[in-house]
Amino acid sequence: MCGIAGIMRFTDGDVDAGRVRAMLTHLRHRGPDGEGVAEYERCALIHTRLSIIDLLSGTQPMKIPAAPGSGQRTSEGRGELCLVFNGEIYNHRALRALLEARGHRFTSDHSDTEVLLYGYREWGTELPKHLHGMFAFAIWDAVRGALFLARDRVGKKPLYFRRSASEISFASLIATLVQGAPRDERPTINGYAMLRLLRLGYTGRRSLLNGIEEVPAAHWMLVEADGGIRQQRYWQPPPISRTSTSLGAVSATREVIAESVAERLEADVSLGCFLSGGIDSSVVAALAQQELNKRGGDALQTFSVAIPSFGYDESPHARAVAKHIGSNHRELTAQPGGDIIDDLRTLIALSGEPTADSSILPTYWLSQTTRQHVKAVLSGDGGDELFGGYDRYRAMRICQRHGWWLGAMPSFLLRSAEPRSMRTRMRRLIEAARRRDPAQRYQRMMQLFDEDAIRSLGYAFPDDADLGDARMPDWPDETDPVHAAMRWDLLNYLPHDLLRKVDRASMAVSLEVRCPLLGTAVCDLAGHLPHAVLMPGGRAKHLLRRVGADLLPRSIVQRPKRGFAIPIGQWFRDNLRRPLVEQLRCGALASLGFNEQTIGQLASDHFDGSADHGHRLFALLMLSLWAQWLTTSTAAA
C-alpha cells in the first residue's frame, strides 16, 4: 500500500523538479517506509511506500531493463519499463509462475510489483484482466514514450489525473495534484460536481476542481507520446441470472469468501481485522480466524469502536463475536470533542475533497488505534452492496408493488427530528413512492438536499445544470428496480463514497485495509445471483446470514443491520454546536457563493429540534473547511 504520482510532458523539456518535490512531500503519509523518484526526459514517477509484502526487494519506482533478444515474447514495444504501484495483487504467485513458464526471469522472491512489470511486457493493455486485487498503478514505457494507468475492478484504490495541452499528471489524491500544479495556475470549481455533492453527498468521476478527474474503476488508460489518450473498461459486473435458485448457493458463497479471506492474509507484517459486530465483518473475522488456526497461527487481532449513544453502539456485539471466534480484541470509545474539527481539517488537507459521510470520523479514529498494533487489516466492506443489506432495496420492492397508494399518503404528518426513526423512514418511502421512475425514486431515498433546498442555497450552478428532479446518473438498464439499485450502488455509491472514505481515513495513518467481500470471485458470484436468492422476501443479506449460521452466535446472525455511523446530529446540538456555528459563519461558504442566511436557518431548525439536518450540516461544515484549505493551498503555491 502506497502513494503514487507522476507527471508526463507532451513536449520536450524536463519536468519541474519543484513540482515533483511538492507531490512527494504531500504523499509521505501514505508511505512512511520509503520513497523514490524516477526521472526521464519527459516523465517523472513518484512513489512513497508502506511495506507489506516483500519488505527487502519491493522498492519503487521499480524498473526492468529492455527485453532481451528476439526469443523473448514482448507486448507493445521493447524497452525499459518503470512502474509505481499502490495496492496488493493477491494472485501474484500464480501469475509469476505463468510468466516464468513463458520465459520471464524475476530478480525478487515474491514481489507483486515485479509481476506487474513483466505482466505488462507479456500482455500489454490486457494486463488488468489477469489481476485479482486492489490496485492503482502507472507504467512508463521509456522507448515508446507512453504512460499506462490502470485501476482495480471496484475502485478500492484511488487514481486521479489532470490533463492540459502540454502534460498529464496523476496521483493517488486530489490534494497531491493541487500541490503539484503549475505555479501560475489557480483551480476553479466544477459546478456539476458541486451539484452532485449536494444531491448525493459525494462527487462522481469529476472532482470539485475543474480539470481533475478520476480514472474510473475497472478501466485502463494509455497516454501516447503526443498526448493522445485511449481508455477502456476491462471488467463488467456479470449479468444477473433470471433462473438461478438457492440450491448450492450457501456452500458456493462460503467457499469463495473463504478463499478471498485466505488470499488476503498474506503479509510480511502484522495483520488484523475491523470488527463491528455486523454480519459482514463478523463472517470475515470468523473465516480469518479459522484460516489462521489451520496455519497454526496466533489469534486474530480484531478492532472495534464503541459509540456511547443509544441506537449507534455495536461494541457489545463485536465483543460477543470476538469471544466466540477467539480473537484478541481491542476497543476504542468515540467521544465528541473539540479536536473533531482539527481531525476534519487534517482529512481535508490530505484528500483534497469534502465528503458528507460523517462515518469518516470513526473510521479515522479506529484506524489510528489499529495502526498502533498492525499495518494491515481486513474489513467487511462490500457486503451491503453485493448481498442486499440496505433497507432501501426492500423499499424499492415495496414502491414497485404498492407505490400507487403509498404516494397518496400525507408525508408531512411523519416529520421527525430523529434520522433513524420509523417515522423518518416511512416519510422517505412515501416521498419516493410519489415518483414513477425507479431512478428518481432511488434518488429520493438517497438524496442529501432536495431540489428546493439546493435552489435555496443560492450557489451559482452552470446554466445547463439540471436543478430539478433529475434522473440518477448512470442508472443501470435493468427492468427489476431492486437489481438496478444494487448495481447502481456497486458502481457508484461503493467506489465514490464508501471506498474513498475508507482509503482516505486509513491511509491518513498509513494503515492498509483489505476487503475480502470485494474479491473478484465474490463479486462475480454475488453479482450474478438474483435478489430472490440474495434476499428472499426482502430479508436483508439472507444468503450471507446463512453462510454465517455455523460460524457465529445466533444473536449476531439474526440481528438487524445498524450501519457504521455516529450521532452527528446530536453532537451538533451539544458539544459541537459552538465550533459548528463558528465554522459556518467564518465566510468560507459565502466565498463559494452559498447563501449564509439559508444555512443559518438550517442550523437554527436543527438546534431547536424542529428538524434533523445533521447530515446536511456536516456536508456544509466539510465544504467550509475545504474552501479554507483550497484558499490556503493555492495562496502558498
Side-chain angles (χ1 to χ4, degrees):
M1 194 67 65
C2 309
I4 65 173
I7 302 173
M8 171 189 173
R9 292 181 55 83
F10 307 144
T11 56
D12 292 336
D14 294 337
V15 175
D16 186 334
R19 294 172 59 195
V20 171
R21 285 195 301 271
M23 296 171 85
L24 177 65
T25 299
H26 184 266
L27 280 174
R28 281 185 177 132
H29 68 280
R30 293 182 69 94
D33 297 332
E35 60 186 50
V37 175
E39 295 181 280
Y40 295 87
E41 184 177 349
R42 293 192 296 112
C43 181
L45 300 184
I46 303 160
H47 185 264
T48 61
R49 187 183 186 201
L50 177 64
S51 304
I52 303 293
I53 290 178
D54 192 24
L55 306 184
L56 297 179
S57 57
T59 303
Q60 298 184 48
M62 182 178 286
K63 304 175 184 179
I64 59 174
S70 58
Q72 173 99 24
R73 295 177 62 184
T74 63
S75 62
E76 304 159 326
R78 301 154 68 95
E80 180 173 280
L81 300 177
C82 183
L83 174 141
V84 287
F85 162 48
N86 171 30
E88 305 286 352
I89 307 301
Y90 301 119
N91 64 332
H92 69 95
R93 294 182 185 273
L95 292 176
R96 175 183 288 252
L98 179 59
L99 289 166
E100 286 178 334
R102 297 189 178 188
H104 299 279
R105 296 292 174 258
F106 290 80
T107 60
S108 69
D109 174 59
H110 61 289
S111 168
D112 55 350
T113 306
E114 193 176 14
V115 167
L116 290 176
L117 282 165
Y118 284 107
Y120 183 75
R121 175 162 287 167
E122 178 68 29
W123 296 304
T125 59
E126 296 293 302
L127 169 62
K129 294 182 179 180
H130 296 265
L131 306 177
H132 295 169
M134 53 180 182
F135 56 85
F137 63 82
I139 297 177
W140 172 248
D141 185 331
V143 170
R144 185 177 177 182
L147 181 70
F148 180 72
L149 305 170
R151 193 157 173 244
D152 64 63
R153 286 169 173 78
V154 294
K156 285 172 277 191
K157 292 294 99 188
L159 186 57
Y160 294 92
F161 70 94
R162 173 190 170 277
R163 188 186 187 282
S164 68
S166 60
E167 69 173 37
I168 187 169
S169 54
F170 67 89
S172 298
L173 298 166
I174 293 168
T176 307
L177 290 174
V178 172
Q179 296 299 322
R183 295 181 179 87
D184 58 347
E185 292 189 11
R186 290 292 178 266
T188 57
I189 295 175
N190 187 307
Y192 303 98
M194 180 69 77
L195 180 58
R196 180 157 180 166
L197 176 69
L198 294 174
R199 276 189 175 141
L200 298 176
Y202 52 88
T203 60
R205 176 180 171 180
R206 292 186 287 188
S207 81
L208 275 179
L209 298 178
N210 278 314
I212 297 180
E213 298 183 34
E214 189 177 50
V215 175
H219 280 69
W220 57 257
M221 178 187 294
L222 184 66
V223 187
E224 301 285 3
D226 62 359
I229 291 180
R230 281 198 291 139
Q231 183 173 286
Q232 184 173 312
R233 173 179 280 277
Y234 65 86
W235 177 83
Q236 290 275 9
I240 298 171
S241 171
R242 308 301 178 190
T243 58
S244 293
T245 68
S246 59
L247 183 64
V250 175
S251 59
T253 302
R254 173 164 176 166
E255 180 180 351
V256 295
I257 294 176
E259 290 176 352
S260 187
V261 168
E263 285 180 335
R264 284 154 181 79
L265 288 175
E266 179 184 2
D268 295 334
V269 297
S270 55
L271 183 145
C273 184
F274 286 158
L275 180 60
S276 69
I279 189 67
D280 304 335
S281 63
S282 297
V283 165
V284 168
L287 289 172
Q289 186 62 73
Q290 280 194 358
E291 181 64 25
L292 289 176
N293 292 342
K294 291 178 186 177
R295 301 179 185 183
D298 296 331
L300 179 70
Q301 298 191 67
T302 53
F303 305 87
S304 68
V305 58
I307 300 174
S309 179
F310 178 76
Y312 289 85
D313 188 21
E314 294 189 288
S315 60
H317 307 292
R319 291 195 294 269
V321 173
K323 181 178 180 180
H324 184 81
I325 68 175
S327 68
N328 180 10
H329 191 62
R330 292 181 176 86
E331 187 176 288
L332 159 76
T333 299
Q335 294 279 11
D339 57 350
I340 283 182
I341 301 298
D342 291 336
D343 287 344
L344 294 176
R345 288 187 195 279
T346 296
L347 291 168
I348 288 286
L350 294 180
S351 67
E353 190 170 63
T355 175
D357 190 342
S358 60
S359 67
I360 195 171
L361 280 168
T363 305
Y364 177 55
W365 299 330
L366 180 60
S367 297
Q368 286 179 315
T369 297
T370 302
R371 185 61 177 85
Q372 297 172 20
H373 304 278
V374 299
K375 291 182 75 172
V377 288
L378 308 183
S379 82
D381 292 316
D384 289 312
E385 292 77 16
L386 287 172
F387 293 97
Y390 295 124
D391 285 343
R392 55 183 181 261
Y393 299 150
R394 182 171 58 178
M396 289 293 283
R397 186 168 177 260
I398 291 172
C399 284
Q400 182 186 26
R401 297 183 176 185
H402 306 289
W404 62 275
W405 64 266
L406 274 173
M409 295 181 66
S411 61
F412 69 89
L413 298 175
L414 296 171
R415 291 186 180 276
S416 171
E418 172 49 55
R420 291 192 168 196
S421 69
M422 182 59 69
R423 291 171 66 90
T424 297
R425 291 157 67 187
M426 280 298 300
R427 183 185 178 200
R428 279 186 174 270
L429 177 63
I430 290 170
E431 291 177 345
R434 291 174 181 163
R435 271 66 177 173
R436 294 189 176 184
D437 179 54
Q440 292 183 355
R441 282 177 172 171
Y442 204 55
Q443 177 167 304
R444 194 69 183 180
M445 296 177 195
M446 298 280 288
Q447 70 186 6
L448 179 61
F449 289 95
D450 63 20
E451 307 83 58
D452 292 338
I454 288 174
R455 289 189 179 92
S456 70
L457 288 172
Y459 185 82
F461 293 102
D463 292 338
D464 58 344
D466 186 354
L467 300 185
D469 194 11
R471 184 180 175 86
M472 288 281 269
D474 308 317
W475 186 254
D477 185 18
E478 290 281 348
T479 56
D480 188 311
V482 177
H483 290 161
M486 293 178 66
R487 186 57 51 88
W488 190 89
D489 278 346
L490 182 67
L491 299 177
N492 291 272
Y493 176 62
L494 179 69
H496 295 152
D497 186 330
L498 300 186
L499 294 179
R500 281 179 184 171
K501 170 196 70 179
V502 171
D503 179 82
R504 291 167 180 176
S506 61
M507 289 304 290
V509 296
S510 307
L511 177 71
E512 173 174 299
V513 178
R514 301 176 172 185
C515 311
L517 296 182
L518 291 174
T520 303
V522 182
C523 288
D524 285 343
L525 176 62
H528 181 65
L529 294 174
H531 69 80
V533 175
L534 297 170
M535 43 185 298
R539 287 170 287 178
K541 286 191 278 199
H542 179 74
L543 176 60
L544 192 59
R545 293 180 191 280
R546 290 183 64 191
V547 169
D550 63 346
L551 296 170
L552 302 165
R554 186 175 181 180
S555 61
I556 298 299
V557 174
Q558 294 183 344
R559 65 181 291 260
K561 174 182 172 59
R562 276 292 182 186
F564 189 50
I566 55 175
I568 192 67
Q570 175 186 325
W571 290 1
F572 280 157
R573 294 189 181 105
D574 300 325
N575 306 59
L576 295 182
R577 177 169 177 165
R578 180 175 178 178
L580 171 67
V581 170
E582 289 177 350
Q583 186 61 42
L584 294 181
R585 290 178 176 174
C586 74
L589 289 173
S591 71
L592 294 177
F594 285 92
N595 186 321
E596 287 190 311
Q597 183 176 354
T598 298
I599 295 169
Q601 188 61 53
L602 281 175
S604 296
D605 292 345
H606 182 80
F607 296 150
D608 66 24
S610 60
D612 188 285
H613 294 307
H615 194 183
R616 300 175 186 87
L617 290 172
F618 183 81
L620 294 170
L621 170 65
M622 290 291 276
L623 260 176
S624 177
L625 293 170
W626 176 79
Q628 287 183 326
W629 164 81
L630 186 64
T631 300
T632 302
S633 296
T634 53

